[in-house]
Amino acid sequence: MTLPRLAWLIGPALVAGVAYLDPGNVASNMTAGARYGYLLVWVVVVGNVMAWLIQYLSAKLGIVTGQSLPETLGRRIRNPWGRRAYWLQAELVAMATDIAEVIGGAVALYLLFGIPLVWGGAITGAVSIGLLLIQSRKGPRPFEFVVIGLLVVIAIGFSFGVLVAPPDPAGIAGGLVPRFEGTDSVLLAASILGATIMPHAIYAHSALARDRFAPRPAATWSLSDRAAPDATLAELRGISTRRLLRATKWDVTIAMLIAGTVNLCILLLAAANLAGVPGTDSLEGAYAALYAGLGPLVATLFAVGLLASGLASTSVGAYAGAEIMHGLLHIRVPLLARRLVTLVPALIILAIGFDPTVALVLSQVVLSFGIPFALVPLVALTAKREVLGGYRNRVWTTIAGVAASVFLITLNGLLLWLVLTGA
């Protein structure tokens, strides 16, 4: 496959990958680094490795079947009440995502321009509506270009400080050893994983891949025929489904390398420069400490990265939410209408004066509990011949998916037990 053709196929994973760099990630990683130094470096690394597998499986489902994960589940969950119950938890997860992203954008506008948080949230929502208009009127490719541009801004904004004040290599090496230090560190680990492996990114990626590589109307073919899908699914510009999947691996690899590196930089920046500094477990305090310790350029770039993060991720979140409702309830809600509805909870939180950083971290915990509901069906569906035919998961891929699911569910169960028992 030539480089220009490969470049043309890159994009859906980068857009979905923005969800891994939303303001909730920033709050969770900054808080973890400020409170515990390098302790939770291993959580970021493990989360990113699992994220690669999960996002690839999501994209594969969309490419091979021509359906998103919500659409597939909507057709397979026959009980209406079961389908509605599944939709409800997915909808709550999407709303938690929206809250984190709008609040993050509002905090960034406050840090940069002194705009009150409520107005900053409204502005963030308004700009995200403009981005969604691009997607709905111009199609997926222009939307990808805009979001990827914001991704570049995010990467520069959050990584520059690490270049100015490099972290301790020995501290990084020590942070790769898996361990916790009390209930709060487990809470933060769950928050980091909820921000790293986001349920709405799983739902969205399958839809983004479907929209970019939509299959032709399916001809009659047998699922027992390994070569059949290549003959009946979309062959864009003469590219077979098998080649699309190979290109998707590159797409996911690039997206996860960017997301993982930037997330690690956020935690390392806090660990190296904010650990033990009072008040730095909040975004505002972290900004002030960066301004005082590393200068206005680092602090300003950090705030600009936070703003780009809020704007880009809230658009992807609204896209995912609309897909969840359409796929599970068979109701198609316009993206703009959904954006207006899900903007309200975030504005209420800002209006009542609830601590924005606490709201961001808690929203990521909600996302962490939503992961199994997206991940378990994804692994199960992509392992079935009746769903993916010859493209179903290999045995080791399924084992890795099951291991990731068990790890995440166990961590969430441990977190719940620690919180309830006050341990």
Side-chain angles (χ1 to χ4, degrees), residues 342-423:
T342 55
L343 185 62
V344 173
L347 294 180
I348 291 174
I349 289 175
L350 292 172
I352 64 177
F354 193 83
D355 187 309
T357 303
V358 173
L360 285 173
V361 173
L362 290 178
S363 72
Q364 302 313 295
V365 175
V366 173
L367 294 179
S368 184
F369 280 99
I371 291 169
F373 293 98
L375 181 53
V376 172
L378 176 68
V379 174
L381 288 170
T382 52
K384 290 181 178 292
R385 176 177 286 274
E386 65 187 84
V387 178
L388 294 189
Y391 296 106
R392 72 191 189 282
N393 296 340
R394 296 179 180 177
V395 173
W396 287 110
T397 302
T398 300
I399 291 174
V402 170
S405 304
V406 170
F407 173 79
L408 293 167
I409 293 170
T410 301
L411 180 61
N412 290 331
L414 176 62
L415 169 64
L416 184 61
W417 180 79
L418 289 173
V419 170
L420 292 178
T421 60

Side-chain angles (χ1 to χ4, degrees), residues 39-383:
L39 177 71
L40 299 179
V41 166
W42 68 274
V43 178
V44 177
V45 174
V46 169
N48 207 66
V49 171
M50 291 190 294
W52 187 96
L53 173 63
I54 293 165
Q55 293 306 131
Y56 173 69
L57 294 182
S58 177
K60 181 169 75 167
L61 180 70
I63 290 171
V64 176
T65 67
Q67 297 177 0
S68 67
L69 178 59
E71 283 179 318
T72 304
L73 291 172
R75 287 172 168 81
R76 297 179 71 87
I77 302 175
R78 301 299 177 86
N79 186 301
W81 289 106
R83 191 170 64 249
R84 290 166 190 155
Y86 187 93
W87 164 80
L88 180 60
Q89 64 79 27
E91 193 67 36
L92 291 174
V93 164
M95 290 184 69
T97 302
D98 267 337
I99 288 172
E101 292 154 355
V102 172
I103 289 177
V107 171
L109 288 171
Y110 172 76
L111 295 176
L112 289 168
F113 308 111
I115 297 174
L117 291 176
V118 175
W119 286 107
I123 292 171
T124 301
V127 174
S128 70
I129 289 174
L131 295 177
L132 289 172
L133 281 173
I134 295 175
Q135 197 277 339
S136 61
R137 295 184 179 180
K138 301 294 184 179
R141 197 57 170 163
F143 179 66
E144 287 175 10
F145 285 136
V146 173
V147 173
I148 291 171
L150 290 171
L151 180 62
V152 173
V153 176
I154 294 168
I156 295 173
F158 292 146
S159 303
F160 185 75
V162 175
L163 300 177
V164 174
D168 175 28
I172 298 174
L176 292 173
V177 179
R179 65 193 190 281
F180 296 110
E181 290 182 3
T183 304
D184 191 53
S185 66
V186 180
L187 176 66
L188 278 174
S191 180
I192 291 171
L193 288 173
T196 303
I197 305 172
M198 305 185 77
H200 82 283
I202 300 174
Y203 299 126
H205 199 171
S206 59
L208 289 164
R210 175 204 62 198
D211 291 347
R212 274 290 302 280
F213 310 121
R216 292 184 241 165
T220 301
W221 56 283
S222 170
L223 285 167
S224 62
D225 183 354
R226 182 177 179 84
D230 273 343
T232 58
L233 296 183
E235 295 184 355
L236 298 170
R237 299 188 180 183
I239 301 172
S240 69
T241 301
R242 198 171 299 280
R243 289 186 176 181
L244 282 176
L245 294 176
R246 284 201 293 268
T248 296
K249 290 181 180 179
W250 281 102
D251 192 18
V252 175
T253 299
I254 294 170
M256 293 300 102
L257 278 175
I258 294 173
T261 301
V262 174
N263 277 319
L264 194 57
C265 284
I266 295 169
L267 189 147
L268 296 178
L269 178 65
N273 301 280
L274 306 181
V277 179
T280 53
D281 55 355
S282 70
L283 291 175
E284 298 92 330
Y287 172 84
L290 290 173
Y291 194 98
L294 301 180
L297 179 58
V298 171
T300 300
L301 286 175
F302 172 81
V304 170
L306 181 62
L307 178 60
S309 169
L311 295 176
S313 55
T314 193
S315 302
V316 176
Y319 173 89
E323 183 62 34
I324 289 168
M325 181 170 287
H326 166 64
L328 292 167
L329 298 186
H330 311 305
I331 299 173
R332 187 170 291 280
V333 177
L335 285 174
L336 300 184
R338 180 179 176 79
R339 169 71 281 178
L340 292 173
V341 171
T342 55
L343 185 62
V344 173
L347 294 180
I348 291 174
I349 289 175
L350 292 172
I352 64 177
F354 193 83
D355 187 309
T357 303
V358 173
L360 285 173
V361 173
L362 290 178
S363 72
Q364 302 313 295
V365 175
V366 173
L367 294 179
S368 184
F369 280 99
I371 291 169
F373 293 98
L375 181 53
V376 172
L378 176 68
V379 174
L381 288 170
T382 52

Side-chain angles (χ1 to χ4, degrees), residues 1-14:
M1 188 181 297
T2 63
L3 185 60
R5 178 169 288 184
L6 177 62
W8 179 79
L9 296 172
I10 298 297
L14 289 171

